[in-house]
Amino acid sequence: MHAELSIDRRPWTQVDRAGAGAADPLGVDGVKTTYVRNEEIYGEGEPSAFVYRVLSGVARTYRILADGRRQISEFFLPGDVFGLEAGIDHSLSAEAVSDCVLVAIRRSHLAERAGRDNGTAHKLWSLTLHHLGRSEEHMLLLGRKNAAERVAWFLLDMAKRIPAQGQVDLPMSRQDIADYLGLTIETVSRTMTQLQDDDLIALPSCRRVMLSDRTGLADLAA
Amino acid sequence: MHAELSIDRRPWTQVDRAGAGAADPLGVDGVKTTYVRNEEIYGEGEPSAFVYRVLSGVARTYRILADGRRQISEFFLPGDVFGLEAGIDHSLSAEAVSDCVLVAIRRSHLAERAGRDNGTAHKLWSLTLHHLGRSEEHMLLLGRKNAAERVAWFLLDMAKRIPAQGQVDLPMSRQDIADYLGLTIETVSRTMTQLQDDDLIALPSCRRVMLSDRTGLADLAA
DNA sequence: CGTCTCATTGACACCCTTCAAACGAAGTGG
DNA sequence: CCACTTCGTTTGAAGGGTGTCAATGAGACG
């Protein structure tokens, strides 16, 4: 990895000291805001005025079809940034998966600083490239993988992103997982059970997953 | 659309005068290269040394699984730019869909210029955001749409991107379309026939599509 | 005209969805 | 402390949409 292209993923909470008005790692002041579970952060079509960094909790962005079919495009964990979009209006909606605290950074301030400071401009670009890389991986999953491969990939990805050893506490519901993986809630549930029967994982509770056989999961995830 | 976020999509051929060594709209010298149909432009895992602009013809980027399943992430038409990735190595492969001419722009030159010139930096970022927006749309398609909706969306998208009126001359094979839409070649073929039976399109030849009912197609594409 | 490649069509199988019911955990009120 | 409710998850049975396998058809080219 290029050092200059790497992304700072430290949960910002750890260095937060000032609350509202403190500078984000992107170098621009933001306002700390709390959202409760399932609360809307922004909606598709609304003006895209802010970029958000997650301090605690988890957020999701998604698109929805007229008949209610939903595709979650990404989950955002502490340290992650979302809300960067091409147009002046949001083409995605965003909601809180769990109660969460975000820093909202005014997009115009960010643009202004990026115009002056190459470092900020470069960070924003890197962040966008990182998202693009993940969405390409996501497309491969949605277009070409079966249910077991999708779920195995998802669990490994979550284990990578959530700091903990040997287990994952999933922050989202089965419905969220299904809408992220392009499956139904029933298929996700059945697949989890199957992975458990195959001794690849254990499920002490429905939100807690022990990865008993990471190699086996990785083989599946392809 | 922000004027500053808009993308210059003019086919560069129209302003090309010097051949190799001429400056791209991105402001950096590039080398014009010709590729024949199905020729590899770069492979997954190779060092990512160049960014490409299509002058003529069409290119595809894709990822492939160990057993050969392929997901095409995007087609690139004249004027389009591809090859921008987060890491130092390509995470996608790229090939020529048809014989095509590309300008290869050295990434290090681009990075150097972006470091000096905010305009270039901003163009690169906008381009990346544009790709990200498209890939989010693509994820919705792959995760939640059925075959008819996928094909209808694809035809409308191609009609938008390929200048012509009332008809589209598809530059790619059914296999390419299938791998882009997350379907099989047989399903694409059957769906095209079905759309024709429903009087939404006409197929004078397998590469030429007349969009007889754009409204009906748009309703389907959702 | 023969060959090669790609596209279309048909028959059948299977993975995932749909519909439905049971189960379990968490919270509330008696 | 225990019914009761609510919400989310799991499990079952059945159906459908898409994949697989195979054969036929249609252009392109020599």
Side-chain angles (χ1 to χ4, degrees), chain A residues 97-170:
Chain A
V97 168
S98 58
D99 292 353
C100 63
V101 182
L102 310 178
V103 189
I105 304 159
R106 198 166 279 283
R107 185 175 157 160
S108 55
H109 294 176
L110 210 50
E112 185 267 334
R113 183 176 169 97
R116 286 187 289 108
D117 170 29
N118 283 326
T120 301
H122 200 276
K123 267 189 198 169
L124 287 171
W125 185 33
S126 302
L127 222 47
T128 310
L129 278 172
H130 175 74
H131 286 168
L132 183 58
R134 278 188 65 85
S135 73
E136 276 151 359
E137 177 105 18
H138 202 173
M139 285 192 279
L140 176 64
L141 179 146
L142 294 172
R144 291 299 178 210
K145 290 186 180 174
N146 65 29
E149 293 167 339
R150 294 182 199 204
V151 172
W153 183 89
F154 177 75
L155 294 176
L156 286 172
D157 185 56
M158 279 298 140
K160 233 183 312 181
R161 295 174 70 192
I162 299 173
Q165 45 272 36
Q167 69 181 42
V168 205
D169 283 301
L170 299 173

Side-chain angles (χ1 to χ4, degrees), chain B residues 31-86:
Chain B
V31 176
K32 214 196 262 193
T33 320
T34 301
Y35 295 84
V36 301
R37 192 163 72 96
N38 293 327
E39 186 176 350
E40 176 173 294
I41 299 164
Y42 55 77
E44 192 177 332
E46 290 177 11
S48 163
F50 297 94
V51 169
Y52 302 84
R53 179 185 295 269
V54 181
L55 296 189
S56 67
V58 177
R60 59 178 173 250
T61 53
Y62 63 92
R63 293 197 54 176
I64 216 163
L65 293 171
D67 60 4
R69 282 174 289 176
R70 182 178 71 154
Q71 179 63 46
I72 292 181
S73 104
E74 190 59 283
F75 293 112
F76 298 94
L77 276 51
D80 292 342
V81 172
F82 66 95
L84 288 165
E85 292 183 30

Side-chain angles (χ1 to χ4, degrees), chain A residues 69 139 142-144 150 182, chain B residues 71 138-157 177-184 187-188 191 195 217 220-222:
Chain A
R69 283 174 288 176
M139 285 192 279
L142 294 172
R144 291 299 178 210
R150 294 182 199 204
Chain B
Q71 179 63 46
H138 202 173
M139 286 192 279
L140 176 64
L141 179 146
L142 294 172
R144 290 300 179 209
K145 291 185 180 175
N146 65 28
E149 293 166 339
R150 294 183 199 204
V151 172
W153 183 91
F154 177 75
L155 294 176
L156 286 173
D157 186 55
I177 298 173
D179 287 349
Y180 182 68
L181 298 180
L183 300 169
T184 60
T187 299
V188 170
T191 305
L195 292 178
L217 280 175
L220 243 186

Side-chain angles (χ1 to χ4, degrees), chain B residues 92-108:
Chain B
L92 298 169
S93 303
E95 289 172 352
V97 169
S98 58
D99 293 352
C100 63
V101 182
L102 310 177
V103 189
I105 304 159
R106 198 166 278 283
R107 184 175 158 160
S108 54

Side-chain angles (χ1 to χ4, degrees), chain B residues 174 184-194 203:
Chain B
R174 291 288 187 272
T184 60
I185 181 175
E186 294 93 335
T187 299
V188 170
S189 183
R190 270 186 264 266
T191 305
M192 293 270 208
T193 307
Q194 187 59 51
L203 290 164

